[in-house]
Amino acid sequence: MTIFYTTPLLLFVALVLSLLTCSAQNADNVHLQFLSFPKATASEPVELVIGKNKTINVEIPSNELSPTYKVNRQNQWTVGESTTDEEGKPAFTVFGRGKALTSTKQLILLVRKGKKNSDGFDVLVIDNRIAHFGGGKFLFMNAAQVDIAGIVGTQKFAIQPSKHTIIKPEPDKKNKRVCHTLLYYRKGKEAKPFLSSKWPLSGDARGLIFFYHDPRTKQLRLHSIRDFLPQNG
């Protein structure tokens, strides 16, 4: 039996196939943002590997999140610099690698091992979806050599060196726009106070807090960034 397809049916089939193709392509796309820490004197871009022999330049600021880069999904994120070997052939020098997540939105933190990009990075990948790291939340990253603990609002946390945590504190009862913060570091068996302050709290912004030791003075320092989310979420 011969089946004759009408023009509307052919158009419908073509439309469905087109939508399925677009859906499959979108599933392979990932939105990335970058942040480097500690702050460098001159924060130069690095190259991100996005496929076999394919790279793009990405900005790695320290005081704000980078622009968003839409790339193909990878098993790991590798940053570095395109070079040439001793024979003059193209080569790639790796500065750091981190395991990619399944999330469609990922924040890549590059923790510097030295003053220059070529000194290398520890690469930490965070789920950057609003449901996971949205407004009113704080990301604490411990790049220091001591344990850090704290109470933000009524929310307690503790993080060892090279670890991180995300919390969502409750605001102060008297002022819903702030939360009282107490921070401590471990010295031997004692918890030493490090900071006592009131931090702004908003459903439209999130905080990124980094602990580190100043390379010159060796004193414990804190670096914070407030990232305002787009109104459309």
Side-chain angles (χ1 to χ4, degrees):
M1 180 177 66
T2 303
I3 300 176
F4 296 96
Y5 293 97
T6 63
T7 299
L9 180 58
L10 289 173
L11 291 175
F12 174 75
V13 172
L15 176 61
V16 170
L17 291 175
S18 175
L19 291 175
L20 289 175
T21 301
C22 290
S23 178
Q25 290 175 345
N26 288 333
D28 289 333
N29 290 330
V30 181
H31 294 81
L32 303 179
Q33 286 183 285
F34 294 82
L35 183 71
S36 64
F37 177 82
K39 183 179 179 180
T41 305
S43 182
E44 298 180 353
V46 295
E47 292 180 58
L48 173 72
V49 177
I50 59 171
K52 186 176 181 180
N53 300 323
K54 292 183 179 179
T55 67
I56 59 170
N57 285 341
V58 294
E59 297 179 25
I60 53 170
S62 297
N63 291 325
E64 61 182 356
L65 299 189
S66 76
T68 299
Y69 299 92
K70 185 178 179 181
V71 301
N72 290 333
R73 187 179 297 278
Q74 305 291 323
N75 292 326
Q76 66 178 2
W77 301 119
T78 303
V79 295
E81 180 182 33
S82 293
T83 58
T84 54
D85 61 20
E86 295 178 353
E87 298 178 355
K89 296 180 180 180
F92 188 80
T93 301
V94 175
F95 294 163
R97 290 190 180 98
K99 185 177 180 181
L101 305 179
T102 58
S103 171
T104 56
K105 295 183 179 181
Q106 301 178 37
L107 171 61
I108 300 180
L109 301 180
L110 303 178
V111 183
R112 296 181 179 277
K113 295 181 179 180
K115 295 182 179 180
K116 300 180 295 182
N117 290 349
S118 58
D119 292 328
F121 300 94
D122 289 324
V123 181
L124 176 66
V125 186
I126 305 292
D127 189 337
N128 205 24
R129 291 173 297 180
I130 298 301
H132 184 76
F133 184 30
K137 293 185 178 181
F138 290 88
L139 164 69
F140 291 94
M141 171 65 195
N142 187 0
Q145 289 84 47
V146 294
D147 294 344
I148 301 290
I151 306 174
V152 185
T154 58
Q155 186 77 37
K156 298 179 180 179
F157 74 92
I159 43 176
Q160 296 176 331
S162 301
K163 301 297 183 181
H164 73 281
T165 188
I166 295 175
I167 67 170
K168 185 174 184 180
E170 294 294 328
D172 284 359
K173 293 181 179 180
K174 294 182 179 180
N175 186 349
K176 300 296 183 180
R177 296 183 178 180
V178 300
C179 57
H180 189 230
T181 301
L182 295 170
L183 299 177
Y184 303 85
Y185 69 94
R186 181 192 295 274
K187 186 175 182 180
K189 296 183 179 180
E190 296 184 16
K192 296 287 187 178
F194 173 57
L195 179 143
S196 176
S197 180
K198 288 186 179 293
W199 285 355
L201 192 63
S202 169
D204 298 326
R206 54 190 180 172
L208 295 91
I209 316 298
F210 301 89
F211 302 97
Y212 69 103
H213 282 100
D214 188 296
R216 295 175 301 166
T217 65
K218 307 303 180 183
Q219 291 184 334
L220 184 62
R221 300 293 187 188
L222 177 150
H223 180 68
S224 63
I225 297 171
R226 199 172 186 213
D227 179 50
F228 289 89
L229 300 171
Q231 294 297 318
N232 58 12

Coordinates of all heavy atoms in Angstrom, one line a residue, residues 213-221:
H213 N 46.0 33.6 53.0 CA 47.1 34.2 53.7 C 47.8 35.2 52.8 O 48.2 34.8 51.6 CB 48.1 33.2 54.3 CG 47.6 32.5 55.5 ND1 47.0 31.2 55.5 CD2 47.6 32.9 56.8 CE1 46.7 30.9 56.7 NE2 47.0 31.9 57.5
D214 N 48.0 36.4 53.2 CA 48.7 37.4 52.4 C 50.1 36.9 52.2 O 50.9 36.5 53.1 CB 48.8 38.7 53.2 CG 49.4 39.8 52.3 OD1 50.6 39.7 52.0 OD2 48.7 40.8 52.1
P215 N 50.6 36.8 50.9 CA 51.9 36.2 50.6 C 53.0 37.0 51.2 O 54.1 36.4 51.5 CB 52.0 36.4 49.0 CG 50.6 36.6 48.6 CD 49.8 37.2 49.7
R216 N 52.9 38.3 51.5 CA 54.0 39.1 52.1 C 54.0 39.0 53.6 O 55.0 38.7 54.2 CB 53.9 40.5 51.6 CG 54.0 40.7 50.1 CD 53.8 42.2 49.7 NE 52.4 42.6 50.1 CZ 52.0 43.9 50.2 NH1 52.9 44.8 49.9 NH2 50.8 44.2 50.5
T217 N 52.8 39.3 54.2 CA 52.7 39.4 55.6 C 52.4 38.0 56.3 O 52.5 37.9 57.5 CB 51.7 40.4 56.1 OG1 50.4 40.0 55.7 CG2 52.0 41.8 55.4
K218 N 51.8 37.1 55.5 CA 51.4 35.8 56.0 C 50.2 35.9 56.9 O 49.8 34.9 57.6 CB 52.5 35.1 56.8 CG 53.8 34.9 56.0 CD 53.6 34.2 54.7 CE 54.9 34.1 53.9 NZ 54.7 33.4 52.6
Q219 N 49.6 37.1 57.0 CA 48.4 37.3 57.8 C 47.1 36.8 57.1 O 47.1 36.8 55.8 CB 48.2 38.8 58.2 CG 49.2 39.3 59.1 CD 48.9 40.7 59.5 OE1 48.3 41.5 58.8 NE2 49.4 41.1 60.7
L220 N 46.2 36.3 57.8 CA 44.9 35.8 57.3 C 44.1 37.0 56.8 O 43.9 38.0 57.5 CB 44.1 35.0 58.3 CG 42.8 34.4 57.9 CD1 43.1 33.3 56.8 CD2 42.1 33.7 59.1
R221 N 43.6 36.8 55.5 CA 42.8 37.9 54.9 C 41.5 37.3 54.4 O 41.3 36.1 54.2 CB 43.6 38.5 53.7 CG 44.9 39.2 54.1 CD 44.7 40.4 55.0 NE 46.0 41.1 55.2 CZ 46.1 42.1 56.1 NH1 45.0 42.5 56.8 NH2 47.3 42.7 56.2

